[in-house]
């Protein structure tokens, strides 16, 4: 039984790109640290486990994330205690038994949550299983994938461990009554390409079809390509052409899953060299080969840019959830925040024409990068899982012994 690989269940949901990216990063870290000793299942909790009537969360997120006022409303609804309680009661009413059936059928050795909305329900289900079976449940740990601010639903004091990526979130976990000894601060779990990159930016530029000798501005809007990218791309291209010249820099726009944006940009004529992409699987390479990042304040994208030492122009944020990220970037001197396309473009043109300023900001960004955080989190989780496995084995042995003592020969 000892040799059996750990079955690790990772609960995420495709609301944005960050949760799946973090789940895959943890999968890769376990594989790298403990090859063949873990078997990982990554599941979209809302579409594949909890189901109706919440199975459309990923699609609804994509709609709401494009409408900040609506986002703020939803964020506050789920944070305000009475409405939060109502929401959790609805989750429990519709989904408790489905989640319980799923946990019992899959019988994981370890459960990792990388999503704020799965913690309360999953922990209540595990408590119910524990009461029914009187056996220690698998450990449940939460890896927070927000950066400078986090929704209160991330923090449930019943979790065996809560991993946070920054000091403000360490504080938020304490305020949510998570015991100090069950909080660990490492950084965000970032995918392996960001801890393993070996090729030089020049080599990558050749492979990616970029111009070799001019600076590159990389414009992204999270996994869903949100945040008014079209107006920002047009403003940046026009301002660079006007202030610096039409061959002074190149622009790469990553539209993520926003296909209609990609189509619109492809139908545009551009005053500077431009590369347009849909969802890219090699973000690490695009970041390595670029000189400036323009992005909404997504936590994953910011942490990746820090690892790559990219100066950051933040162009917007989801109210509530991403405001804290803006503070982290601007107060650390690793970037600036501008919400208007003209101001964003002005900042990009200023950084293009001042390589020394760019280098100083890049250095501050690089100092904040934590490329090994994912490995540190995985190793810590593994220790917890091994410890709990020993407790569960001892419990099973006790049950077996007491059962055999009561069975007549
Ligand atoms: N991403 C990607 N390819 C794309 C667009 C985004 O791999 O075409 C990744 C990006 O590198 C980051 C994640 O998706 O890891 C976006 O996460 P973030 O937290 O920044 O924003 P979210 O989409 O979750 O709001």
């Amino acid at each position: 039984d000892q040799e059996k690989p750990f079955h690790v269940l990772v609960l995420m949901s495709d609301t944005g790109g960050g949760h799946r990216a973090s789940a895959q990063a943890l999968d890769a870290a376990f594989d790298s640290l403990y090859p063949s000793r873990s078997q990982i299942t990554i599941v979209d909790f809302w579409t594949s486990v909890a189901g109706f009537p919440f199975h459309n969360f990923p699609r609804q997120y994509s709609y709401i994330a494009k409408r900040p006022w609506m986002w703020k409303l939803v964020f506050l609804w789920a944070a305000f205690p009475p409405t939060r309680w109502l929401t959790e009661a609805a989750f429990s009413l519709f989904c408790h038994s489905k989640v319980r059936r799923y946990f019992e059928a899959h019988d994981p050795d370890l459960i990792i949550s990388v999503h704020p909305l799965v913690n309360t329900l999953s922990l209540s289900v595990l408590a119910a299983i524990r009461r029914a079976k009187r056996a220690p449940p698998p450990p449940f740990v939460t890896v927070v994938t927000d950066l400078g601010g986090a929704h209160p639903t991330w923090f449930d004091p019943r979790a065996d461990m809560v991993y946070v990526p920054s000091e403000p979130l360490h504080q938020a976990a304490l305020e949510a009554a998570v015991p100090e000894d069950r909080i660990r601060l490492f950084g965000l779990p970032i995918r392996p390409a960001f801890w393993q990159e070996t090729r030089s930016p020049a080599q990558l530029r050749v492979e990616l079809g970029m111009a070799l000798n001019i600076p590159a501005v990389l414009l992204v809007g999270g996994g869903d390509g949100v945040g008014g990218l079209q107006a920002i791309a047009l403003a940046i291209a026009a301002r660079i052409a006007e202030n610096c010249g039409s061959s002074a820099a190149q622009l790469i726009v990553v539209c993520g899953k926003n296909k209609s944006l990609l189509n619109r940009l492809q139908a545009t004529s551009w005053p500077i060299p431009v590369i347009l992409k849909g969802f890219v699987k090699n973000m690490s390479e695009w970041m390595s080969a670029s000189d400036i990042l323009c992005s909404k304040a997504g936590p994953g994208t910011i942490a990746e840019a820090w690892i790559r030492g990219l100066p950051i122009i933040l162009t917007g944020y989801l109210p509530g959830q991403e405001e804290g990220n803006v503070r982290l970037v601007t107060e650390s001197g690793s970037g600036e925040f501008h919400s208007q396309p003209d101001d964003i473009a002005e900042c990009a043109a200023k950084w293009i024409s001042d390589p020394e300023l760019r280098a100083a900001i890049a250095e501050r960004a690089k100092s904040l990068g934590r490329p090994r955080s994912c490995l540190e989190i995985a190793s810590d989780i593994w220790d917890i899982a091994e410890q709990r496995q020993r407790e569960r084995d001892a419990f099973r042995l006790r049950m077996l012994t007491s059962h055999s003592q009561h069975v007549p020969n």
Side-chain angles (χ1 to χ4, degrees), residues 175-400:
E175 280 161 19
V178 179
E180 170 110 54
D181 62 348
R182 279 198 253 142
I183 308 171
R184 298 258 207 281
L185 198 168
F186 288 122
L188 277 186
I190 298 298
R191 289 167 293 174
F194 286 91
W195 6 296
Q196 293 166 349
E197 186 59 62
T198 50
R199 280 165 298 163
S200 69
Q203 206 177 341
L204 285 169
R205 281 188 171 208
V206 174
E207 287 171 29
L208 296 171
M210 296 168 67
L212 294 184
N213 298 319
I214 52 175
V217 179
L218 177 65
L219 173 61
V220 301
D224 290 321
V226 294
L229 292 190
Q230 182 171 8
I232 297 170
L234 290 170
I236 291 176
R239 186 60 59 92
I240 288 176
E242 193 184 312
N243 288 18
C244 318
S246 60
S247 52
Q250 56 195 316
L251 173 66
I252 295 110
V253 188
V254 174
C255 303
K257 290 177 240 161
N258 193 338
K259 291 204 178 93
S260 71
L261 171 69
L262 180 63
N263 292 339
R264 288 198 305 276
L265 296 185
Q266 279 168 339
T268 305
S269 68
W270 297 90
I272 62 169
V274 168
I275 296 178
L276 304 170
K277 305 299 284 184
F279 191 89
V280 300
K281 291 196 170 157
N282 55 347
M283 185 61 87
S284 146
E285 297 179 358
W286 288 105
M287 284 195 181
S288 282
S290 298
D291 302 276
I292 294 169
L293 173 78
C294 285
S295 170
K296 78 174 183 86
T301 305
I302 292 170
E304 291 165 355
W306 280 344
I307 292 173
R308 287 283 164 253
L310 266 182
I312 305 168
I313 304 173
L314 291 178
T315 58
Y317 57 85
L318 289 176
Q321 186 170 320
E322 294 179 344
E323 278 162 34
N325 303 347
V326 175
R327 276 194 298 279
L328 277 187
V329 168
T330 54
E331 286 171 12
S332 63
S334 58
E336 292 186 15
F337 171 71
H338 300 283
S339 60
Q340 296 306 313
D342 281 346
D343 300 334
I344 296 164
E346 185 62 40
C347 182
K350 183 178 74 186
W351 288 1
I352 291 290
S353 53
D354 190 343
E356 275 176 29
L357 171 65
R358 221 163 64 219
I361 303 171
E363 201 170 313
R364 287 196 288 274
K366 186 93 187 161
S367 72
L368 297 164
R370 303 196 61 166
R372 294 191 59 79
S373 56
C374 194
L375 295 165
E376 290 165 342
I377 295 169
S379 149
D380 199 76
I381 292 178
W382 194 264
D383 291 346
I384 295 172
E386 281 192 325
Q387 167 69 26
R388 180 65 57 85
Q389 191 70 5
R390 284 193 287 276
E391 288 165 25
R392 297 179 89 201
D393 287 346
F395 176 83
R396 286 191 197 110
L397 195 65
R398 271 203 311 281
M399 288 295 103
L400 222 62

Side-chain angles (χ1 to χ4, degrees), residues 80 204 403 409:
F80 181 55
L204 285 169
H403 181 69
N409 284 328

Side-chain angles (χ1 to χ4, degrees), residues 53-120:
F54 306 110
H55 57 294
N56 275 330
F57 269 174
R59 257 199 295 156
Q60 287 158 354
Y61 172 93
S62 160
Y63 181 84
I64 293 170
K66 293 182 189 115
R67 293 160 180 84
W69 64 270
M70 210 185 263
W71 178 265
K72 186 156 198 164
L73 221 64
V74 172
F75 187 91
L76 292 176
W77 172 276
F80 181 55
T83 41
R84 176 178 169 182
W85 182 86
L86 268 178
T87 311
E88 279 162 2
F91 288 169
S92 180
L93 180 70
F94 286 100
C95 308
H96 184 102
S97 50
K98 281 179 277 179
V99 175
R100 181 168 176 167
R101 271 200 303 280
Y102 186 91
F103 284 175
E104 289 183 334
H106 288 76
D107 193 24
D109 298 307
L110 163 67
I111 303 178
I112 303 176
S113 151
V114 291
H115 198 277
L117 293 183
V118 313
N119 301 297
T120 309

